[in-house]
Amino acid sequence: MSGREIVLLSLLLAAVVLLCWQHCRIRRILQRLDRMLGQAVSGEFCEQNFDESMLSAVESRFAQYLAASSLSARHVQQEKQSIETLITDISHQIRTPVANIRLYAQLLSEQPLEEQGRVCVEALDSQTEKLQALIEALVKTSRLETGILALHPVMTGLAPIAARAVEQYLPRAKRRQQVLMLEPTAERAVCDPKWTEEALCNLLDNALKYTPEGGTVTVRVQAYEMFCRVDVSDTGPGIPEEEQASIFGRFYRGENAYTEQGVGIGLYLTRRIAEEQGGYLKVSSQPGKGSTFSIFLLRG
Ligand code: ADP
């Protein structure tokens, strides 16, 4: 072997050794980065290298980033709490005067009044009732949105939830000569019973409110592969297609709604309830042919 070949071979060998060393180093760094991310996810990250190396610098930056983000998460949580407290305080303060206004309006309505006075008292009472509903809806929405009022979905039978909701609306349906039916079901789904009942009540409230006297409202449960679908169908006026995307928005009221009581928050809240438990809310409707609102709930 000539001297030149020996030099070349040595250089090749040195290059191979250098490559192997680099490879091992990068592997070690990647493994450490992987461990760091794993520890960060489980909240157990702590610095291990305190030297002049690049890895130590990365670790220290990472630790700073985690500290800053956990601080900002705490701030966000505190802000949510204070917004919630503010809304609760304001609504508590408003509740009493609003209840008093209703009481005085009622007392006034018992007095001998002229026609115009009577109209004004009725308007006063209905506007105050609206204000009361608005405050209640505001508190519920704010609690859902700030995550203060968390839902606790569990696997549960849908029949008792639907039955409780329907029962609350039977007297009203009877007063308006409407038929309110619940089809029997043995289906089960993952949902928070209390909030799902609330969502169903919102749909029933709308169905009875917008359906003229003598109409029919039906609650039906159907099971699909992944979801259970709870339908509330009515024989009311239906909803024009161009309005269907807007009705789930906050404070949206349809063209047909202004003759009825309401504040435009029921469907928004219902959709939030469905989504908070992994489901969704859908509407299918044709003007003149009634509407069906469907809450989809996970089956497992
Ligand atoms: P609100 O009933 O207080 O107006 P919602 O958020 O519950 O508010 O409903 C939003 C709008 O959707 C209503 O104003 C109405 O126009 C329409 N809507 C909801 N449910 C029905 C229904 N069953 N039939 C016809 N229109 C409906």
Side-chain angles (χ1 to χ4, degrees):
M1 204 181 272
S2 71
R4 198 157 165 257
E5 281 172 342
I6 292 174
V7 172
L8 270 176
L9 202 66
S10 316
L11 279 175
L12 197 69
L13 217 66
V16 169
V17 170
L18 194 70
L19 266 176
C20 286
W21 179 76
Q22 277 288 17
H23 177 76
C24 290
R25 206 170 138 251
I26 291 173
R27 219 180 122 88
R28 258 204 326 276
I29 292 176
L30 286 177
Q31 277 172 346
R32 175 64 194 133
L33 286 176
D34 184 48
R35 268 204 311 279
M36 273 162 65
L37 289 174
Q39 287 170 344
V41 169
S42 58
E44 293 164 356
F45 175 74
C46 62
E47 286 181 73
Q48 282 179 4
N49 295 292
F50 298 94
D51 48 35
E52 297 295 309
S53 70
M54 189 68 182
L55 193 57
S56 166
V58 170
E59 275 192 4
S60 140
R61 286 291 230 186
F62 195 55
Q64 281 172 8
Y65 167 76
L66 286 179
S69 64
S70 97
L71 193 69
S72 78
R74 261 206 309 280
H75 281 158
V76 169
Q77 194 51 34
Q78 277 166 1
E79 262 168 37
K80 277 182 176 179
Q81 297 258 7
S82 63
I83 293 173
E84 162 59 15
T85 314
L86 182 71
I87 291 179
T88 310
D89 286 351
I90 293 175
S91 56
H92 268 309
Q93 298 300 322
I94 296 176
R95 265 189 195 125
T96 317
V98 167
N100 285 342
I101 294 173
R102 284 203 80 183
L103 183 71
Y104 287 124
Q106 206 181 337
L107 290 176
L108 202 58
S109 72
E110 287 161 12
Q111 302 298 314
L113 290 174
E114 287 180 8
E115 184 54 25
Q116 206 184 357
R118 188 154 300 285
V119 171
C120 287
V121 169
E122 274 167 19
L124 189 68
D125 189 48
S126 98
Q127 291 300 312
T128 325
E129 190 183 346
K130 194 168 170 173
L131 196 59
Q132 254 176 347
L134 197 60
I135 296 165
E136 298 306 327
L138 199 69
V139 172
K140 277 180 201 160
T141 322
S142 117
R143 288 189 179 166
L144 264 183
E145 283 192 355
T146 51
I148 301 287
L149 231 173
L151 274 72
H152 301 290
V154 287
M155 181 56 104
T156 180
L158 294 173
I161 299 175
R164 279 198 302 274
V166 165
E167 207 172 305
Q168 291 175 48
Y169 286 89
L170 279 175
R172 184 157 135 200
K174 199 169 164 204
R175 269 201 310 277
R176 304 194 65 211
Q177 284 114 47
Q178 290 166 323
V179 179
L180 174 53
M181 284 191 301
L182 168 61
E183 293 191 359
T185 176
E187 297 303 338
R188 293 164 68 75
V190 180
C191 63
D192 180 313
K194 194 171 140 277
W195 280 96
T196 308
E197 183 184 326
E198 165 106 22
L200 269 178
C201 285
N202 288 342
L203 296 183
L204 285 171
D205 187 68
N206 280 347
L208 294 173
K209 181 165 71 175
Y210 296 112
T211 300
E213 291 199 357
T216 302
V217 173
T218 313
V219 180
R220 182 182 300 116
V221 179
Q222 275 172 276
Y224 294 91
E225 199 183 344
M226 277 182 70
F227 289 95
C228 257
R229 167 179 164 173
V230 189
D231 283 345
V232 176
S233 308
D234 63 55
T235 55
I239 303 162
E241 200 173 339
E242 62 278 10
E243 241 187 29
Q244 287 179 18
S246 319
I247 55 175
F248 301 104
R250 228 181 315 191
F251 302 120
Y252 180 87
R253 302 212 70 206
E255 297 276 313
N256 63 341
Y258 284 93
T259 49
E260 302 296 340
Q261 287 276 10
V263 290
I265 200 100
L267 288 182
Y268 173 77
L269 198 61
T270 306
R271 182 155 82 166
R272 290 296 313 249
I273 294 172
E275 288 174 353
E276 288 283 325
Q277 36 196 5
Y280 59 102
L281 176 66
K282 249 186 72 178
V283 62
S284 106
S285 178
Q286 266 185 36
K289 295 196 174 161
S291 313
T292 296
F293 284 86
S294 311
I295 306 180
F296 286 80
L297 298 167
L298 281 166
R299 292 186 75 191

